[in-house]
Amino acid sequence: MRYRRRELILKYTVELFIKTAQPVGSKSLIENYHLDYSSATIRAEMNALETQGFLEKPHTSAGRVPSKKGYEFYVANLRERVVSDNIRHQIQTLIEAKTRSVDEMINQTCEILSQMTNLVSVALGPKTTGEVLKSVHIVPLDKHSATAIFVTNQGYVEHKTFMIPMDSSIEEITEVVKIFNERLIGTKISDVVAKMELLRPLLKDYVVEQEVLTNAFTEAFIRYARDRLSLYGKESLLEQPEFINDSEKLRKLIGILDDPSKLRELIIGDGELKINIGDADEDLSLISANIQLPGDQVGQIVLVGPKRMDYNSVLWALEYVTDELEKYFEVEREINDE
Amino acid sequence: MRYRRRELILKYTVELFIKTAQPVGSKSLIENYHLDYSSATIRAEMNALETQGFLEKPHTSAGRVPSKKGYEFYVANLRERVVSDNIRHQIQTLIEAKTRSVDEMINQTCEILSQMTNLVSVALGPKTTGEVLKSVHIVPLDKHSATAIFVTNQGYVEHKTFMIPMDSSIEEITEVVKIFNERLIGTKISDVVAKMELLRPLLKDYVVEQEVLTNAFTEAFIRYARDRLSLYGKESLLEQPEFINDSEKLRKLIGILDDPSKLRELIIGDGELKINIGDADEDLSLISANIQLPGDQVGQIVLVGPKRMDYNSVLWALEYVTDELEKYFEVEREINDE
DNA sequence: TTTTGGCACTTAATAGTTGACAGTGCCATT
DNA sequence: AATGGCACTGTCAACTATTAAGTGCCAAAA
């Protein structure tokens, strides 16, 4: 036998609970896995597992539920390599489609992931640290308004439609943009606002209403600070039994999913494959993986779900997906470099 | 007395229910509004109002709740002009700030609205009908990737980062963009994809891998079809008693708020100020107002909440807000035109 | 004719009771 | 070490008051 009995019982308990979402009793364990022991024996083992802290009981006469520690042990020692054919197939189809757009690739991947796992998948854009302004454009819309566009070296675009100040002409504004393009390109996003301030005296010579103008531009940069993340598959997660029956939990979950800063807070991990199993009453686990994007950027894909999730398939799926994607991006680069 | 007694009773019933979220009985009406009639009289009137269809009873021995018809009558005939000082003050501060950005104005306004009303406010971008491609930009990021940017005459920006096909150089791509700028500018968004197809033979002469390129561009245009709407104040709506106690309703609400197409379906109105009070079991009302933006565009602000909402303040607030905003945009234009 | 006090009636919500059930822990026995 | 047996415990669902809030209606008062 590959596992010692006690570990096997822990393994089965975790797996059965993941499947049924019900506390697991000794009898149901025997039934489901055809164990050759009496229920008393299993009970004794489960008791031991409980005192060791791997299992816990909702109440005296209920079955057992894996604890945080129990899940962690399961994830670390007890799961087996399985990548579902289904997900493998879907990812391969995606890759064969030879989509050129990076966003679209990530996008589709996240859709597939959350469909397969019934979890929410989060795509986090590359870290803004070190991000640099690449170019500034202005597109006049009519006499009264124009759209300013800012692009970073990571291909992130922010835009802002603003009213043209009464005393300014479009020519003056294009002049300002020209100056911005000359002086601000290459500046770190975090420094742009400060540097813009320094340019004010210079701008005064060209443009009458420069103050209003730079203010408008500054506003656009405030938005850069925001988290760039997209969520996929929110609906199916909300249909999970833990949230259907517990509207308090449901509201809490939504509060987190809808608030990027709260979400970001939970995604502390930065390592290759990080598993963050919900503490105490917080019934939420996050699995995150980094992914190497073209242009030396690093994105992150995070799966969010209840503590009771199918860690085995989820982890392998995520690993498989990021591997395949990185391979794809990598191959493209090598062909380009030859 | 301005209102006939029966109408007054309807008015009070609606207002008390809006305040307490509890079915309203004859006694509590007398207590709250110091009526000089006995409960029996009030009961008789309420009975009449029920047979007329303005009120309904959740069950025999409960108080009464306004029906759809009751709310509609209230909105049409019974409310009084009140604009809270608070909202007036906040909007004035916003206007005095002289923000130049249209987005930012709408943005802030919606924040204020949902804060004041505890409802979700939805900002809908201008209709895409008649929207026209204004310009195309390409920003090379590094050897392997570039970002394409598309701007419409309404100041809406879509972008897409894509991998540069192996056989293409950046020069080739800028050539394609040049052709796009020459041939596609002024084309309706809905026609761009078709017209791009027609350009393919022409492009073949310039670029080897034109197919992959145009595909990537086409993908960006598919996104244009998406609804442009932003939501504000979701959290506070979820805290309303109707959703706290009824997790079924809660999940339904979230399903609607998170799905732009479902939401759009409900926002049928197009008139100046449209009130759409939830039918039958659907406990949802929508109040929408058009708003004239600079550049002859029309946006829409919609407030979403439970049927039981404070129509009086909400309606006046919305009217006030859109008036002030339009005035602001208008003044700017006139000054510009002089 | 309108208003009112009184009364019987209805229903939901609350609390208490009970029995079945699923599970446990422990112990004497195998 | 494993097991069968047994007492024990907490939850859940069904049932039963009991209470509270409110109604409808009617005969009497204004």
Side-chain angles (χ1 to χ4, degrees), chain A residues 258-293:
Chain A
D258 280 352
D259 183 342
S261 65
K262 270 189 209 159
L263 196 54
R264 173 70 83 169
E265 217 169 273
L266 288 170
I267 308 171
I268 39 156
D270 204 32
E272 255 312 289
L273 189 70
K274 180 97 186 178
I275 302 163
N276 178 11
I277 291 165
D279 287 299
D281 56 321
E282 197 70 81
D283 189 2
L284 218 56
S285 284
L286 294 93
I287 316 277
S288 61
N290 284 349
I291 177 163
Q292 195 68 40
L293 304 178

Side-chain angles (χ1 to χ4, degrees), chain B residues 75-91:
Chain B
V75 167
N77 305 304
L78 301 175
R79 63 207 176 80
E80 288 152 20
R81 166 123 217 165
V82 185
V83 178
S84 95
D85 284 347
N86 201 336
I87 203 163
R88 190 177 279 147
H89 176 73
Q90 294 217 38
I91 293 293

Side-chain angles (χ1 to χ4, degrees), chain A residues 95 199 220 230 254 265 267 269 274 322 332:
Chain A
I95 283 177
L199 282 178
S230 351
I254 296 192
E265 217 169 273
I267 308 171
K274 180 97 186 178
T322 50
E332 289 298 320

Side-chain angles (χ1 to χ4, degrees), chain B residues 252-272:
Chain B
K252 218 170 176 178
L253 174 67
I254 295 173
I256 289 173
L257 291 183
D258 280 352
D259 184 341
S261 66
K262 270 189 207 159
L263 195 55
R264 174 70 83 169
E265 219 170 272
L266 288 170
I267 308 171
I268 40 155
D270 205 32
E272 255 315 286

Side-chain angles (χ1 to χ4, degrees), chain B residues 63-271:
Chain B
R64 261 105 171 177
V65 161
S67 67
K68 181 179 158 75
K69 189 175 164 191
Y71 280 121
E72 282 166 351
F73 188 83
Y74 175 80
V75 167
N77 305 304
L78 301 175
R79 63 207 176 80
E80 288 152 20
R81 166 123 217 165
V82 185
V83 178
S84 95
D85 284 347
N86 201 336
I87 203 163
R88 190 177 279 147
H89 176 73
Q90 294 217 38
I91 293 293
Q92 287 309 327
T93 324
L94 175 62
I95 285 178
E96 277 156 24
K98 292 214 163 273
T99 314
R100 310 315 292 195
S101 156
V102 179
D103 314 359
E104 205 59 34
M105 267 323 257
I106 303 278
N107 205 335
Q108 298 273 357
T109 304
C110 285
E111 298 273 21
I112 293 172
L113 269 175
S114 57
Q115 249 177 54
M116 295 286 99
T117 59
N118 280 333
L119 305 174
V120 164
S121 64
V122 186
L124 276 96
K127 294 271 153 52
T128 53
T129 340
E131 196 168 10
V132 154
L133 191 63
K134 189 87 187 184
S135 80
V136 182
H137 303 258
I138 190 95
V139 178
L141 298 180
D142 59 17
K143 250 199 288 183
H144 320 298
S145 53
T147 298
I149 301 170
F150 307 88
V151 190
T152 71
N153 64 327
Q154 298 190 346
Y156 187 73
V157 175
E158 191 66 73
H159 69 103
K160 202 129 199 111
T161 301
F162 61 96
M163 288 176 280
I164 298 172
M166 29 193 174
D167 300 337
S168 310
S169 65
I170 291 190
E171 288 71 36
E172 281 178 315
I173 292 169
T174 19
E175 187 59 34
V176 171
V177 171
K178 210 175 127 200
I179 293 174
F180 281 174
N181 262 317
E182 278 163 10
R183 308 269 180 148
L184 289 180
I185 300 303
T187 311
K188 271 197 194 157
I189 295 303
S190 48
D191 302 338
V192 165
V193 173
K195 209 159 173 185
M196 221 185 248
E197 287 301 316
L198 296 179
L199 283 179
R200 286 198 181 213
L202 177 66
L203 289 175
K204 240 185 215 147
D205 301 340
Y206 292 87
V207 185
V208 187
E209 284 269 348
Q210 58 86 23
E211 177 134 344
V212 187
L213 239 180
T214 40
N215 281 350
F217 282 9
T218 306
E219 271 168 25
F221 276 91
I222 290 166
R223 252 199 262 184
Y224 268 110
R226 286 199 206 156
D227 279 301
R228 298 163 203 174
L229 45 78
S230 352
L231 302 189
Y232 306 82
K234 200 145 74 170
E235 315 76 41
S236 57
L237 180 57
L238 300 185
E239 298 301 327
Q240 292 293 311
E242 13 272 289
F243 303 113
I244 295 260
N245 301 321
D246 189 337
S247 85
E248 183 53 33
K249 259 189 200 167
L250 178 62
R251 221 139 4 86
K252 218 170 176 178
L253 174 67
I254 295 173
I256 289 173
L257 291 183
D258 280 352
D259 184 341
S261 66
K262 270 189 207 159
L263 195 55
R264 174 70 83 169
E265 219 170 272
L266 288 170
I267 308 171
I268 40 155
D270 205 32

